[in-house]
Amino acid sequence: MAKQKYYVVWKGRRTGIFNTWEACSAQVTGFTGAQYKSFESLSAAESAFKGAYSAVVATKPSPAAPPIQVVPSKTARKTPQLPSICVDAACSGVPGPLEWRGVHTGGAQIFKSAIYPDGTNNIGEFLAIVQGLRWLQTSQLDWPLYSDSTNALLWVRLKKCRTKQRQTSRNGPLFKLIAEAESWLAENRYANKVLKWETDDWGENPADFGRK
């Protein structure tokens, strides 16, 4: 179970120290140029808030996240680990209307995005993984997360969305989400394993939109 964290917002709709990700997210999500960071203790957050964001980022390198585990099919488990969550994306065309979601493995939907124009499936898979990790952190769950996208798994490990899709006026909101996801990966540590969903062994990803 994740420890209590405190979130400092230097630049956002409101600034200050917040003790939940939901409260912090309300101040920074969709806010251009937002400056925020999580801390393990209230005293550390209070000390950081007295200084400048640039000084904190410069002196406190982000800890490394655990490696992404891509398990070859020939050595795959007979069944996925439970409890866990699965994420997937759907895109009609390249580029095209894009959406993604996360579900309890074998259960109900947890979250679902809006539909964004001029996206790609890999972008959606990347954002779905990050949203899933944020949901697990907020829920204080150490469950593993599954995705069937090798590219997105690699991008999360690199903490960078390596899409070749160009930013346009139509997909500007989508690229804001990408920037926020990259920032979250750079500034947060998570204990959850991010694993490859083995379709050949287990069947279709439970988060699949069923449009193939």
Side-chain angles (χ1 to χ4, degrees):
M1 182 173 290
K3 295 180 180 179
Q4 169 70 51
K5 286 193 174 184
Y6 298 87
Y7 302 85
V8 175
V9 177
W10 287 269
K11 184 177 180 182
R13 297 180 181 87
R14 289 174 52 205
T15 61
I17 299 173
F18 303 86
N19 60 8
T20 67
W21 167 247
E22 291 94 334
C24 174
S25 178
Q27 315 313 319
V28 301
T29 300
F31 188 95
T32 303
Q35 297 177 350
Y36 61 99
K37 186 173 177 60
S38 64
F39 295 86
E40 300 294 330
S41 68
L42 179 58
S43 60
E46 290 174 338
S47 176
F49 188 51
K50 293 176 182 177
Y53 171 75
S54 57
V56 173
V57 172
T59 58
K60 293 191 176 183
S62 300
I68 304 299
Q69 298 184 14
V70 180
V71 184
S73 293
K74 64 181 180 180
T75 60
R77 294 168 56 95
K78 292 183 179 179
T79 57
Q81 298 178 43
L82 296 174
S84 58
I85 70 172
C86 294
V87 300
D88 203 3
C91 188
S92 302
V94 183
L98 171 67
E99 59 186 321
W100 59 90
R101 68 173 182 161
V103 303
H104 290 279
T105 304
Q109 179 171 285
I110 301 167
F111 60 82
K112 184 174 182 293
S113 74
I115 299 177
Y116 294 88
D118 292 352
T120 69
N121 198 64
N122 282 330
I123 290 175
E125 300 272 11
F126 171 79
L127 292 173
I129 294 173
V130 177
Q131 186 170 350
L133 289 171
R134 292 170 72 162
W135 181 86
L136 287 165
Q137 184 185 83
T138 300
S139 303
Q140 299 187 338
L141 297 171
D142 60 0
W143 300 352
L145 178 151
Y146 286 97
S147 167
D148 59 12
S149 172
T150 301
N151 283 337
L153 290 167
L154 174 61
W155 293 355
V156 169
R157 181 170 61 83
L158 297 175
K159 303 181 182 181
K160 187 71 175 177
C161 181
R162 296 295 182 89
T163 181
K164 295 181 180 179
Q165 176 65 16
R166 286 189 170 188
Q167 183 173 351
T168 67
S169 58
R170 281 171 49 83
N171 63 18
L174 184 62
F175 274 78
K176 285 185 179 180
L177 292 179
I178 292 173
E180 290 171 6
E182 292 175 339
S183 177
W184 187 90
L185 288 171
E187 297 180 0
N188 286 269
R189 186 175 184 174
Y190 53 88
N192 310 86
K193 293 180 179 179
V194 183
L195 305 172
K196 179 72 163 59
W197 180 268
E198 294 296 336
T199 305
D200 290 343
D201 294 282
W202 304 334
E204 197 62 70
N205 182 336
D208 183 77
F209 283 78
R211 299 174 186 168
K212 293 182 177 66

